[in-house]
Amino acid sequence: MIKAVVVDMDGTFLDDQKRYDKKRFMNQYQEMKRLGIKFVVASGNQYQHLVSFFSDIKDEITFISENGAKVIDQGKLIYQNPIQHEKIQQVLQLIEGKAIFDGYRLVMSGEKAAYIHKNATAEYRKKADYFYHNLVEVEDYKEVQDVVYKFAFNFAHEKVQRCEAELNTFFAGELLAMTSGHEAIDLVNVHSGKDLGIKALADYWQITIDEVAAFGDNLNDFSMIKSVGYGYVVANGRTEVKAIADKVIESNNQSGVLNELDQIIDSVKKQIRSEQNARYI
C-alpha cells in the first residue's frame, strides 16, 4: 500500500507556466491526509522557493530540497548534508582554472541566502530571482560565509554533459554533479540525492521504500524513480527516465500527476476497505 507520495516540481507537478490546480490538489491532499498518506515535494530548488507553492500547508507536508541536501518534515529539519568549506574552495578553484568551465553562471544556495555574482547578466539575475529567495550579490564567491547546500551551475547547452562528467571525475566519491536538463547542473555532497532524501524519510517514518510512490521527469529524478516501489514519469519526461518507470502518465500540462493521484487515492481506499472486511471474516 502506498504510504507516501513524492513529487518533483518543475516539468512534473507544475505546468509550463509554473502553476498547478490548487483547488483540486487541496481536495486530494485532504483525502491523502485522512488516509495517512504523506505528501513530499522533492526538488533541486531552494527550500524557501518550494514553500511558496504550498504556503497554506507548508508546516504539514515534507520538503526534500537542494536535490536531497536538505530535508524538512512539518517544519522540522530532519536531515542535511551541506558541502564542507574546504570543498567549496576546491570547486571554485577548479571552475576558474579549467577552460571547459569558461562562461559558467552560478548561484550558491545556502542556509541564510542564495549568492550570485554582482556582474551576473540581467537575464540570468531574473531567472535566479524566480528560483531563489533572498538572493545576495557577492564580488567573490570565496567570501561567502554560510552553510552551502548546492552549487547551481549553468553552462552552454553543448557543454553540459562534458562539464558534468568533469565535475564527477574530479570529485569522485566526494561531490555529485547532476544535470536537471537544458543548461543546468547541480553539484551537491555525494551523500545527497532525492533517493537518499526519501530513504531518510522512510527510516524516520518507519515505512519501506516499496510503500513510496514518486513522480518525476528528468535525469535528477532517475535514482528516485528507480528506487521507490511505484515510479511514475510524465509523458514530457526524458526517455532515459521513462525507460525505468513503472508507468508513464500524462504530461505536466495535462495534470498528469493530479490525475494519477486520484487513482492512488481510490486504490488505497479499496485496500483499506479490503483489510477492514478481512478482519470480520
Side-chain angles (χ1 to χ4, degrees):
M1 185 185 299
I2 292 175
K3 295 184 179 179
V5 169
V6 183
V7 300
D8 169 59
M9 290 294 282
D10 296 305
T12 303
F13 190 76
L14 301 178
D15 64 22
D16 288 349
Q17 285 70 50
K18 308 296 184 185
R19 297 178 302 195
Y20 68 98
D21 187 337
K22 188 172 182 179
K23 182 177 179 181
R24 180 183 178 189
F25 168 71
M26 286 304 297
N27 288 332
Q28 293 176 324
Y29 170 70
Q30 293 304 327
E31 276 295 286
M32 287 190 288
K33 185 177 177 181
R34 186 179 68 83
L35 294 168
I37 302 172
K38 306 282 190 180
F39 181 75
V40 183
V41 176
S43 173
N45 290 331
Q46 181 192 43
Y47 169 69
Q48 293 90 330
H49 175 69
L50 298 176
V51 164
S52 68
F53 289 98
F54 302 96
S55 56
D56 294 342
I57 56 173
K58 63 182 177 64
D59 291 327
E60 297 182 14
I61 64 175
T62 307
F63 297 89
I64 299 173
S65 62
E66 314 284 11
N67 266 324
K70 184 177 183 179
V71 181
I72 292 182
D73 177 53
Q74 296 182 330
K76 178 183 177 182
L77 178 67
I78 68 165
Y79 177 81
Q80 65 174 339
N81 192 19
I83 302 172
Q84 297 301 313
H85 179 75
E86 61 271 16
K87 202 59 59 182
I88 293 170
Q89 303 305 310
Q90 288 180 28
V91 172
L92 295 173
Q93 290 172 11
L94 177 68
I95 61 172
E96 289 290 350
K98 298 202 73 168
I100 183 64
F101 301 119
D102 286 352
Y104 75 89
R105 291 161 291 173
L106 170 64
V107 173
M108 286 172 56
S109 187
E111 175 68 30
K112 299 174 184 176
Y115 304 90
I116 190 171
H117 199 277
K118 70 173 188 177
N119 293 332
T121 65
E123 179 186 5
Y124 185 61
R125 174 63 192 247
K126 181 178 179 181
K127 181 178 180 181
D129 273 329
Y130 170 77
F131 285 105
Y132 295 93
H133 294 226
N134 192 21
L135 193 62
V136 175
E137 291 186 352
V138 294
E139 188 168 349
D140 186 346
Y141 289 109
K142 295 185 181 70
E143 296 175 354
V144 170
Q145 299 293 319
D146 195 358
V147 173
V148 174
Y149 295 110
K150 182 186 71 175
F151 289 87
F153 288 110
N154 269 227
F155 300 102
H157 179 72
E158 64 274 10
K159 296 202 304 182
V160 166
Q161 288 187 334
R162 286 185 293 151
C163 290
E164 180 185 21
E166 185 73 25
L167 289 166
N168 279 327
T169 299
F170 191 89
F171 292 108
E174 299 175 319
L175 301 177
L176 177 65
M178 299 176 284
T179 179
S180 56
H182 308 294
E183 300 177 342
I185 291 177
D186 286 349
L187 184 66
V188 296
N189 203 310
V190 72
H191 297 299
S192 299
K194 295 180 183 181
D195 58 324
L196 295 178
I198 292 172
K199 177 64 167 58
L201 286 169
D203 291 343
Y204 182 68
W205 290 329
Q206 296 185 317
I207 65 174
T208 70
I209 296 295
D210 288 340
E211 295 172 314
V212 178
F215 295 82
D217 74 313
N218 223 313
L219 294 177
N220 63 336
D221 299 315
F222 188 97
S223 59
M224 171 178 78
I225 297 298
K226 190 174 182 179
S227 68
V228 298
Y230 307 82
Y232 301 93
V233 176
V234 285
N236 53 291
R238 290 284 293 260
T239 301
E240 303 95 315
V241 191
K242 289 180 184 177
I244 53 95
D246 295 302
K247 183 177 181 180
V248 176
I249 62 174
E250 292 175 290
S251 76
N252 65 320
N253 289 324
Q254 296 171 302
S255 299
V257 174
L258 298 187
N259 296 339
E260 195 63 34
L261 284 181
D262 282 335
Q263 296 187 44
I264 289 174
I265 289 167
D266 286 343
S267 175
V268 171
K269 284 180 178 178
K270 289 177 183 177
Q271 291 179 67
I272 291 174
R273 284 198 296 267
S274 177
E275 290 177 359
Q276 289 174 338
N277 290 336
R279 295 192 189 104
Y280 296 101
I281 294 175

